[in-house]
Amino acid sequence: MCKFFLTYANTSSYMNNTTLKKISEILGLSISTISRALKNHPDISDKTKQRVVELAETLDYEPNANAINLRTSNSKLFGLIVPSISNWFYNAFIASVEEESRKNGYSLMILQSGDDPLIEITNLKLCRQNRITGLFVCISPDTTNIEPFLKLKELDIPVIFFDKVPEINNCNKVCVADSLSATMAANAIVNKKKKKVLGIFGNPHLLITKKRLEAFQNTINEKVNKIKLITDHASSSVEAEEIMLRHLKEKPDTIFCMSDEILIGAMKVVQQKGLKVPQDIAVITISNGGAPKLYYPEITYVETSGHKLGKLAFSSMMACLGGSTFIQELTIESLLVEGGSL
Amino acid sequence: MCKFFLTYANTSSYMNNTTLKKISEILGLSISTISRALKNHPDISDKTKQRVVELAETLDYEPNANAINLRTSNSKLFGLIVPSISNWFYNAFIASVEEESRKNGYSLMILQSGDDPLIEITNLKLCRQNRITGLFVCISPDTTNIEPFLKLKELDIPVIFFDKVPEINNCNKVCVADSLSATMAANAIVNKKKKKVLGIFGNPHLLITKKRLEAFQNTINEKVNKIKLITDHASSSVEAEEIMLRHLKEKPDTIFCMSDEILIGAMKVVQQKGLKVPQDIAVITISNGGAPKLYYPEITYVETSGHKLGKLAFSSMMACLGGSTFIQELTIESLLVEGGSL
DNA sequence: AACAATTTCGCAAACGTTTGCAGCGAATTT
DNA sequence: AAATTCGCTGCAAACGTTTGCGAAATTGTT
């Protein structure tokens, strides 16, 4: 045995990875015995187990995930495709899914598409090549063809769409309550007896924008005490800034922002003009909670929690893996978080 | 052939993944021929190639990455371990590394440790089990034992430490210019003839804090026109807020923030007190560029670019893979970006 | 027509694991 | 003493690829 050990010590610079075979040769046992010993199989005696585990540790054995996946065809790996990880909401979502995955013995392959449908497809291929067990995906705004994603279902790979979901029906989706959260924000404004609201919304051809705009408008307009509502669209923080500057002449008493990005643009103008919040102008937004806390007073917001959405997406995934063929379209509830801005 | 095709079409619900073997049986060719045809090997005739590629496409063939990695023992996969992805700087770093990786045919396994050394070790194991080709790692503040990371080098797996790097010498590191960037900020302050500076620094036992504090102090103090310097430490945004409030009585004319987190805390107090920047108080920070753009006027900052650091880390990685055994400790240059806050 | 050269392809081993099955020695039962 | 059990371990196939080598089929050369 000592001889064997020396031999392997010498060749360690060439064969740099410990394998079951290597351990088996040193110990004079078969590969299968080593494999079973390491996973505490009842067939193997305690003496043997101890010897094996000990050597495995000193040799710093790490099982080869590729071999295991190949053999068992169960990768215990989820794919997660997102337009960008540089985003508070997605950050929270990812952290949440990752935590759950880790706790349940899965790992996570995070891929970002940079809003490029081509990269998105590349990422999808990568997921398939790595034989993922399931996929979480938030499609980019420019993605028109979701066929490739649906194809995974034929391969028995569950797909959970989150946040930006396709408009078709036969797929699992988890979303924030787009309409409801806008309604809640509108109600908060109404309750505060505001008179003139500037609502800044996002890219007008996104589904999320349409939903929020419609719900917001309806809620504001259904009130008897007529509130004047000005709406406009901004696709970026800078555009939101311009819109704020343009509409400030009309003296709104309240600003509603559909997203963090828009809030940030709007708040730059608030600072620039030296406006007091909420005395000169009230502000309310829809957010995961990161951006509103940047300001003083903290901005009142309707929370759409990436963290909660992650939990929901994960449990939906587990349900699919558990054999549920029930297609679900889930929504997390929203919550009004009071800052001092309204 | 038609018979074969039907057979496979029927069993498609069971055997849900196309393999080389499947294609070979349908086409009546050997597995090796299929393999070669798909990678455009010169041994295979154009006719055959065409037939193979065509069928592979209709059958939606995707190579099994696990099998390939097992066979070739070249995973073309980098690991990236970071305390948290919820961070502008790391976001930029990751995006940069990911882009380069994709362009060079590598994929990236992103893992976050949540500043927990135990999860960090778990993540490291995951990387090893997946037989990564190389590792980018930013150690968490509480990590004391970097042995496990260094062990990778014995396995011929390059390790590039970035941002938070260990203090030992025999490892590859890429960093932002901690001392230099603090010096640049200090010089900018001196040039503006400021008289009384409040410097808010991070967690005092982090190397980065020590370096920045020392450089900042030295630069401020070496000037003949004595500048009064107050320094304090904050480990979070909220602490920075408290410190600001506490020291505001001493009427500093300038605030220096060591990081985004601290800037955000400080700026909340600026907003709270209705201070005009830069008239009432000047502000300068060190940042990747995200946070300074949240405010009006935009905050003047010394840029430490996550994007550039990513590029540097990647090229350092490629150098290692290219066979360079030269241990390098690289630093990206900083850059003063003028906002209107100083 | 015979031979060489070239094109085209298949065989089989290997990568590192898991796992059903069988083997074997010893202890217990009949 | 033979048969049965039980505890421990090994054999061998399989997962899906890649690739060196050899063989067959085709072409070109005399």
Side-chain angles (χ1 to χ4, degrees), chain A residues 80-99 102 108-112 162 288 306-307, chain B residues 79-98 108-116 119-120 123 136-141 162-164 260 288:
Chain A
L80 191 159
I81 300 180
V82 73
S84 163
I85 65 168
S86 306
N87 175 302
W88 272 300
F89 182 76
Y90 295 143
N91 278 177
F93 182 89
I94 293 172
S96 171
V97 171
E98 196 188 44
E99 186 187 350
R102 185 162 16 79
L108 193 61
M109 186 171 184
I110 305 167
L111 299 168
Q112 47 183 336
F162 69 93
N288 185 41
H307 194 260
Chain B
L80 192 158
I81 300 180
V82 73
S84 163
I85 65 168
S86 305
N87 175 301
W88 273 302
F89 183 75
Y90 294 144
N91 278 176
F93 182 89
I94 293 171
S96 170
V97 170
E98 196 188 44
L108 194 60
M109 184 169 185
I110 305 167
L111 299 168
Q112 46 183 340
S113 60
D115 277 339
D116 181 341
I119 297 183
E120 209 170 51
N123 285 340
F136 301 95
V137 57
C138 171
I139 57 179
S140 85
F162 69 93
D163 196 43
K164 305 257 178 53
D260 280 343
N288 185 41

Side-chain angles (χ1 to χ4, degrees), chain A residues 6-208:
Chain A
L6 283 174
T7 303
Y8 277 93
N10 286 337
T11 61
S12 74
S13 55
Y14 309 109
M15 316 245 320
N16 46 18
N17 260 321
T18 307
T19 65
L20 294 184
K21 188 174 170 194
K22 202 159 161 181
I23 298 180
S24 77
E25 283 171 356
I26 297 178
L27 253 34
L29 291 170
S30 79
I31 295 178
S32 34
T33 301
I34 309 297
S35 172
R36 290 187 173 103
L38 286 175
K39 38 188 19 136
N40 206 20
H41 192 286
D43 271 6
I44 307 298
S45 71
D46 286 345
K47 265 181 301 184
T48 305
K49 276 179 190 168
Q50 193 183 337
R51 289 209 306 152
V52 171
V53 169
E54 209 164 282
L55 183 59
E57 261 172 24
T58 70
L59 255 46
D60 215 23
Y61 171 74
E62 289 290 349
N64 185 322
N66 290 308
I68 295 176
N69 295 345
L70 183 58
R71 165 63 219 228
T72 63
S73 57
N74 179 9
S75 64
K76 285 275 195 176
L77 172 70
F78 291 133
L80 191 159
I81 300 180
V82 73
S84 163
I85 65 168
S86 306
N87 175 302
W88 272 300
F89 182 76
Y90 295 143
N91 278 177
F93 182 89
I94 293 172
S96 171
V97 171
E98 196 188 44
E99 186 187 350
E100 289 296 325
S101 297
R102 185 162 16 79
K103 286 182 180 167
N104 290 69
Y106 287 83
S107 35
L108 193 61
M109 186 171 184
I110 305 167
L111 299 168
Q112 47 183 336
S113 59
D115 277 340
D116 181 340
L118 257 58
I119 296 182
E120 209 171 50
I121 292 297
T122 305
N123 285 340
L124 184 61
K125 273 182 185 291
L126 256 175
C127 284
R128 291 194 47 191
Q129 291 172 6
N130 284 92
R131 298 301 186 259
I132 54 163
T133 305
L135 178 66
F136 301 94
V137 57
C138 170
I139 57 179
S140 85
D142 302 330
T143 300
T144 52
N145 181 19
I146 56 162
E147 271 301 321
F149 294 100
L150 298 180
K151 204 170 283 175
L152 288 197
K153 303 196 62 175
E154 297 169 17
L155 303 176
D156 278 327
I157 301 174
V159 179
I160 312 287
F161 290 94
F162 69 93
D163 196 46
K164 305 255 178 56
V165 303
E167 301 198 30
I168 61 165
N169 285 321
N170 57 336
C171 57
N172 289 83
K173 316 178 194 177
V174 295
C175 298
V176 298
D178 285 326
S179 301
L180 181 61
S181 55
T183 301
M184 289 175 67
N187 277 327
I189 292 171
V190 170
N191 292 340
K192 289 279 184 175
K193 311 243 184 285
K194 300 297 180 184
K195 299 295 171 212
K196 193 165 188 179
V197 178
L198 168 58
I200 313 182
F201 292 82
N203 190 323
H205 60 256
L206 286 184
L207 184 60
I208 184 175

Side-chain angles (χ1 to χ4, degrees), chain A residues 200-204 233-244 259-266:
Chain A
I200 313 182
F201 292 82
N203 190 323
H233 292 274
S235 300
S236 71
S237 197
V238 174
E239 272 186 47
E241 236 178 294
E242 294 164 3
I243 286 172
M244 267 292 277
S259 66
D260 279 343
E261 204 177 10
I262 290 170
L263 174 69
I264 287 169

Side-chain angles (χ1 to χ4, degrees), chain B residues 20 23 27 29-58 61:
Chain B
L20 294 184
I23 299 180
L27 253 34
L29 290 171
S30 78
I31 296 178
S32 36
T33 301
I34 310 297
S35 173
R36 290 186 172 102
L38 286 175
K39 38 189 17 139
N40 206 19
H41 192 286
D43 271 7
I44 308 299
S45 71
D46 287 344
K47 264 180 302 184
T48 305
K49 278 180 190 168
Q50 193 183 337
R51 287 208 308 153
V52 171
V53 169
E54 209 163 281
L55 183 59
E57 261 171 26
T58 70
Y61 171 75

Side-chain angles (χ1 to χ4, degrees), chain B residues 3-243:
Chain B
K3 185 186 162 198
F4 271 112
F5 190 85
L6 284 174
T7 303
Y8 276 93
N10 287 338
T11 61
S12 73
S13 54
Y14 309 108
M15 317 243 322
N16 47 16
N17 259 320
T18 307
T19 65
L20 294 184
K21 188 175 169 194
K22 201 160 162 180
I23 299 180
S24 77
E25 282 170 356
I26 297 177
L27 253 34
L29 290 171
S30 78
I31 296 178
S32 36
T33 301
I34 310 297
S35 173
R36 290 186 172 102
L38 286 175
K39 38 189 17 139
N40 206 19
H41 192 286
D43 271 7
I44 308 299
S45 71
D46 287 344
K47 264 180 302 184
T48 305
K49 278 180 190 168
Q50 193 183 337
R51 287 208 308 153
V52 171
V53 169
E54 209 163 281
L55 183 59
E57 261 171 26
T58 70
L59 256 47
D60 215 22
Y61 171 75
E62 289 290 348
N64 185 321
N66 290 308
I68 295 176
N69 295 345
L70 182 59
R71 163 65 218 226
T72 63
S73 58
N74 178 11
S75 64
K76 284 273 192 180
L77 171 71
F78 291 132
L80 192 158
I81 300 180
V82 73
S84 163
I85 65 168
S86 305
N87 175 301
W88 273 302
F89 183 75
Y90 294 144
N91 278 176
F93 182 89
I94 293 171
S96 170
V97 170
E98 196 188 44
E99 186 187 350
E100 288 297 325
S101 296
R102 185 160 17 80
K103 286 182 182 168
N104 290 69
Y106 287 83
S107 33
L108 194 60
M109 184 169 185
I110 305 167
L111 299 168
Q112 46 183 340
S113 60
D115 277 339
D116 181 341
L118 256 57
I119 297 183
E120 209 170 51
I121 291 298
T122 306
N123 285 340
L124 184 60
K125 273 183 185 293
L126 257 174
C127 284
R128 289 193 48 193
Q129 291 172 6
N130 284 287
R131 299 299 188 262
I132 54 163
T133 305
L135 177 68
F136 301 95
V137 57
C138 171
I139 57 179
S140 85
D142 301 330
T143 300
T144 52
N145 179 20
I146 55 162
E147 271 302 321
F149 295 101
L150 297 180
K151 205 171 281 174
L152 288 196
K153 303 196 64 175
E154 295 168 17
L155 304 176
D156 278 329
I157 300 175
V159 179
I160 312 288
F161 291 94
F162 69 93
D163 196 43
K164 305 257 178 53
V165 302
E167 301 198 28
I168 60 166
N169 285 320
N170 57 337
C171 57
N172 290 82
K173 316 178 194 177
V174 296
C175 299
V176 299
D178 286 325
S179 302
L180 180 60
S181 54
T183 301
M184 287 174 68
N187 276 327
I189 292 171
V190 170
N191 291 339
K192 289 278 184 173
K193 310 239 182 292
K194 301 296 178 184
K195 298 295 172 210
K196 193 165 187 179
V197 178
L198 169 57
I200 312 181
F201 293 82
N203 190 323
H205 58 255
L206 286 183
L207 185 59
I208 184 174
T209 303
K210 293 178 196 162
K211 281 185 172 180
R212 289 186 176 177
L213 175 58
E214 186 190 351
F216 190 80
Q217 279 178 326
N218 287 345
T219 309
I220 292 285
N221 291 333
E222 79 189 358
K223 299 297 162 183
V224 285
N225 55 336
K226 272 293 178 196
I227 299 178
K228 178 88 174 73
L229 174 60
I230 312 159
T231 65
D232 210 333
H233 292 274
S235 298
S236 70
S237 196
V238 174
E239 274 187 44
E241 238 178 294
E242 294 163 2
I243 286 172

